[in-house]
Amino acid sequence: MSKTFIAPSILSANFADMGAEIRRMQDAGADWIHCDVMDGIFVPNITFGPKMIKDIRKVTDLVLDVHLMITEPIRYIPQFADAGADYITIQVESTDKVEETLLAIKERGCKCGAVISPDTPVEVLRKYLPLCDMALVMSVHPGFGGQKFIENSVAKLEELKKLRDEINPNCIIEIDGGITEDNVQKVRAAGAEAIVAGSAIFGSKDPAKTIANMKL
Ligand code: DX5
Ligand code: ZN
């Protein structure tokens, strides 16, 4: 299998001790840090904005994978890019300007990605794939950590892998939601290369072991 990137989601971190939480993940062998930005409108939860990314950027050199779950994300691309995001991914359901937003991300020097929620078909990604550095399949409904993995996400990953191999082999496939040590192998076998996990890693007694097991 190709290289696997493990991206702990800070949604499950202690927000009052974020610097220590990031270092804890870095020491445990995390490849990326996944940052979930929520606006309380696109999803029924609110997290943080560009200031958090800017402050995290000061404490780590790890790749910052910023997942925007906000309405009309184009409004905030400059702020997240300037804050030091490496990847900025946007939900295709959050705007009519998906293509324009992906281009705005690239123009700002970041890598861009398109995200589909569980009810959005993979086929929707076809027209965006040529532009994308990453395509993300949500395997829970966006908004909260600690939800149960939705099983048909495996078939969606397989479909996406075929499409990706055909259209843009350089695009990374990411999976996000309900990933554990028990189901990580099957999502990797189905094509996932970047693995987001919040509760499974932050909630682990031994995050280094959990991350290592997810890469086996
Ligand atoms: C959910 C977020 C996820 C979340 C994953 O909307 O996009 O990144 O933190 O958390 P777990 O791994 O606990 O499902
Ligand atoms: Zn996420």
Side-chain angles (χ1 to χ4, degrees), residues 9 11 34-38 65-69 89 91 115 136 138 142 174 176-177 196:
S9 164
L11 189 57
H34 184 84
C35 306
D36 288 304
V37 176
M38 304 185 186
D65 171 26
V66 177
H67 176 193
L68 298 184
M69 287 159 274
T89 63
Q91 295 277 155
V115 188
L136 165 53
M138 285 306 296
E174 187 173 52
D176 182 5
V196 179

Side-chain angles (χ1 to χ4, degrees), residues 92-93 116-126 156 159:
V92 299
E93 308 85 3
I116 51 169
S117 282
D119 296 336
T120 304
V122 170
E123 193 54 34
V124 171
L125 290 172
R126 179 185 288 273
K156 289 177 83 176
E159 188 185 345

Side-chain angles (χ1 to χ4, degrees), residues 161-202:
K161 184 174 175 352
K162 272 193 208 135
L163 210 56
R164 184 278 307 264
D165 289 351
E166 177 192 317
I167 298 175
N168 181 0
N170 294 321
C171 173
I172 291 177
I173 297 177
E174 187 173 52
I175 186 84
D176 182 5
I179 302 297
T180 63
E181 285 180 62
D182 295 332
N183 62 18
V184 69
Q185 295 305 336
K186 75 178 168 199
V187 298
R188 285 177 60 198
E193 295 145 330
I195 311 290
V196 179
S199 45
I201 298 178
F202 278 94

Side-chain angles (χ1 to χ4, degrees), residues 74-190:
I74 199 159
R75 298 174 299 146
Y76 283 97
I77 299 309
Q79 290 90 323
F80 283 103
D82 290 349
D86 293 290
Y87 283 90
I88 300 178
T89 63
I90 58 158
Q91 295 277 155
V92 299
E93 308 85 3
S94 66
T95 177
D96 292 336
K97 301 178 194 143
V98 173
E99 212 150 353
E100 208 182 310
T101 310
L102 293 171
L103 284 169
I105 296 168
K106 280 172 119 58
E107 271 163 27
R108 286 276 170 165
C110 299
K111 291 181 176 164
C112 72
V115 188
I116 51 169
S117 282
D119 296 336
T120 304
V122 170
E123 193 54 34
V124 171
L125 290 172
R126 179 185 288 273
K127 59 177 183 287
Y128 307 125
L129 275 178
L131 269 178
C132 284
D133 299 293
M134 187 145 75
L136 165 53
V137 172
M138 285 306 296
S139 39
V140 298
H141 291 279
F144 298 93
Q147 302 180 73
K148 195 176 169 312
F149 179 81
I150 298 173
E151 283 301 329
N152 79 355
S153 312
V154 175
K156 289 177 83 176
L157 285 170
E158 286 165 352
E159 188 185 345
L160 175 58
K161 184 174 175 352
K162 272 193 208 135
L163 210 56
R164 184 278 307 264
D165 289 351
E166 177 192 317
I167 298 175
N168 181 0
N170 294 321
C171 173
I172 291 177
I173 297 177
E174 187 173 52
I175 186 84
D176 182 5
I179 302 297
T180 63
E181 285 180 62
D182 295 332
N183 62 18
V184 69
Q185 295 305 336
K186 75 178 168 199
V187 298
R188 285 177 60 198

Side-chain angles (χ1 to χ4, degrees), residues 1 5 10 15 18 48 52 58 62 71 85 99 101 119 127 133 144-145 151 156 158 179 208 216:
M1 269 189 269
F5 304 97
I10 58 166
F15 280 26
M18 193 56 85
F48 47 76
M52 178 69 95
K58 292 177 196 156
L62 290 180
T71 299
E99 212 150 353
T101 310
D119 296 336
K127 59 177 183 287
D133 299 293
F144 298 93
E151 283 301 329
K156 289 177 83 176
E158 286 165 352
I179 302 297
L216 277 182

